[in-house]
Amino acid sequence: MRNKIALTAAAGLMASTALAPMAMAQGKELTVASWGGSYQEAQSKALFEPYEANTGNTVKQETYGGMSDVRLQVSSGQVTLDVVVSGSGSAARAGAEGLLEPLDYDVIDVSNFPEEFYSEYCVGGDVFSVVPAFSTAKFGEDGPRGWADFWDTEKFPGTRAYRGTVSGALEPAMMALGVAPEDVYAELSSEEGIERALDKIRELKPNIAVFWTSGAQQAQLMKDGEVDMSSGWNGRFDNAAADGAEVSYFFDQGLLDYDCFAIPKGAPNKDLAMEFLAEISKPEYQDDLPKFITYGPTNSAAYETGEITDEVAASLPSAPENMAKQLPISLEWYAEWEQIAAEMYQEMLTE
């Protein structure tokens, strides 16, 4: 089982970025939209507040509803957001739609980023895993290892919660069908393949009590004991466990993904946004994020600063031994198939 990480003191920790303040405070403001909850709180402590301290600029934080909000702002010509947090797949699709500015990697240094963790339109901020979490109150420490177990209602009876949108929802169903991880996206690259995954979710649907739509919701469902298992993001479950929830998970067959930062097309402070991304992508920022939520850095150099202990590193999705157990998300698949798959998924939900 993954090594557990003690986060009980995390709320009281302050980011310890050892960066020298810039010579002259700029006094500028940019607007950054994220998803709220423990995730945005972790970003604020590890990234946004240290950025303000080190630059003299101000980060106006907002929460938003994802790329649908960006699409509305861009289409109306009234863009108010300078930077948005996005799932990598959604950013790939939004970039293909022309909703995002291409990033300037002459400004943003990604020389220590694995190539999987940045793209033309978004730069990775953290690595997370979609995992099958389970109630230790019901199953002890011997819960599901992989998605076939998550679907096995005889071996693991009880209620489930599952993703209410398509991102990260079809791949587990394919693996539950017995498809090898390396073949999942090839199998999903047709409407027939997508329908096959949807049929597998339909099979589980009588046991799905809630289709969750946010990280805060998936964690709260497990904390309150409303469901016995839930798909979801590893760091949310770790924070829930640190707050008293009886929940655990394994990385086996996890879906390795990353959250990224993107700049909406027509952002009012595009140049400042690019400089902001360059600053918070430095290892001295990224090495603080695991103090507040167990997501791994995308900048590999963050493991070399001494801030991330070996014990913590072993519990992060981007640690080599954990990455080897998981399926990396395919941005190419999301850019090509997400819109079609999302429509089919919503039809399945409303049946």
Side-chain angles (χ1 to χ4, degrees):
M1 174 176 273
R2 63 180 177 84
N3 293 328
K4 292 185 177 178
I5 176 172
L7 294 175
T8 53
L13 289 173
M14 293 301 294
S16 59
T17 50
L19 301 177
M22 292 187 176
M24 182 179 297
Q26 298 300 306
K28 299 177 181 178
E29 180 180 273
L30 78 163
T31 301
V32 179
S34 188
W35 296 315
S38 60
Y39 176 68
Q40 187 164 345
E41 182 180 356
Q43 288 181 310
S44 181
K45 291 177 179 178
L47 306 176
F48 305 156
E49 293 171 21
Y51 167 83
E52 290 178 323
N54 290 320
T55 66
N57 296 329
T58 300
V59 177
K60 179 184 177 184
Q61 295 188 49
E62 295 186 2
T63 58
Y64 84 134
M67 284 300 171
S68 59
D69 290 357
V70 173
R71 185 176 293 105
L72 180 61
Q73 289 196 6
V74 172
S75 63
S76 66
Q78 299 179 336
V79 180
T80 63
L81 303 175
D82 296 306
V83 175
V84 295
V85 176
S86 174
S88 59
S90 295
R93 179 62 191 171
E97 287 183 40
L99 301 178
L100 303 176
E101 298 281 357
L103 298 185
D104 186 350
Y105 288 114
D106 289 332
V107 175
I108 306 166
D109 181 7
V110 291
S111 58
N112 289 311
F113 280 53
E115 62 181 11
E116 296 92 344
F117 296 154
Y118 65 94
S119 67
E120 182 179 1
Y121 296 102
C122 73
V123 60
D126 60 83
V127 183
F128 68 94
S129 296
V130 179
V131 294
F134 58 91
S135 166
T136 55
K138 181 161 186 173
F139 301 112
E141 297 295 327
D142 193 19
R145 282 185 175 271
W147 296 106
D149 280 356
F150 187 84
W151 255 260
D152 191 339
T153 57
E154 292 186 6
K155 183 178 179 181
F156 298 102
T159 55
R160 272 70 164 158
Y162 202 70
R163 185 78 191 253
T165 55
V166 77
S167 180
L170 299 180
E171 298 93 332
M174 272 295 176
M175 285 185 274
L177 281 165
V179 175
E182 61 269 23
D183 296 329
V184 162
Y185 286 111
E187 291 291 326
L188 285 172
S189 293
S190 68
E191 290 192 23
E192 292 78 15
I194 293 169
E195 192 64 33
R196 185 181 172 207
L198 292 176
D199 283 342
K200 189 64 175 176
I201 298 171
R202 289 185 181 99
E203 175 187 308
L204 188 63
K205 205 173 179 182
N207 296 89
I208 300 175
V210 179
F211 281 95
W212 56 264
T213 56
S214 72
Q217 184 184 17
Q218 66 187 234
Q220 196 65 43
L221 287 166
M222 294 301 297
K223 185 177 179 182
D224 293 345
E226 291 188 34
V227 296
D228 301 306
M229 294 186 192
S230 179
S231 68
W233 304 319
N234 71 288
R236 295 286 191 156
F237 295 130
D238 281 331
N239 276 11
D243 200 29
E246 296 179 285
V247 59
S248 189
Y249 60 87
F250 296 96
F251 280 116
D252 300 57
Q253 290 191 332
L255 181 62
L256 188 69
D257 199 353
Y258 67 96
D259 292 310
C260 61
F261 294 99
I263 300 174
K265 193 77 171 179
N269 298 292
K270 173 186 170 182
D271 291 342
L272 180 61
M274 211 74 71
E275 294 171 4
F276 168 79
L277 297 186
E279 183 72 8
I280 65 170
S281 294
K282 294 176 179 178
E284 294 86 352
Y285 287 82
Q286 287 211 358
D287 63 7
D288 278 322
L289 192 65
K291 297 176 181 178
F292 307 104
I293 194 164
T294 49
Y295 293 158
T298 49
N299 188 329
S300 298
Y303 284 108
E304 302 170 5
T305 66
E307 286 293 317
I308 301 175
T309 67
D310 291 342
E311 180 185 3
V312 171
S315 297
L316 299 178
S318 54
E321 62 270 28
N322 292 330
M323 287 183 68
K325 301 175 183 177
Q326 302 180 73
L327 168 65
I329 194 170
S330 170
L331 297 189
E332 293 79 9
W333 184 88
Y334 275 91
E336 182 175 357
W337 287 99
E338 184 182 30
Q339 186 173 0
I340 293 171
E343 292 172 359
M344 295 173 68
Y345 196 75
Q346 288 306 308
E347 289 177 7
M348 181 275 297
L349 291 177
T350 56
E351 290 173 353

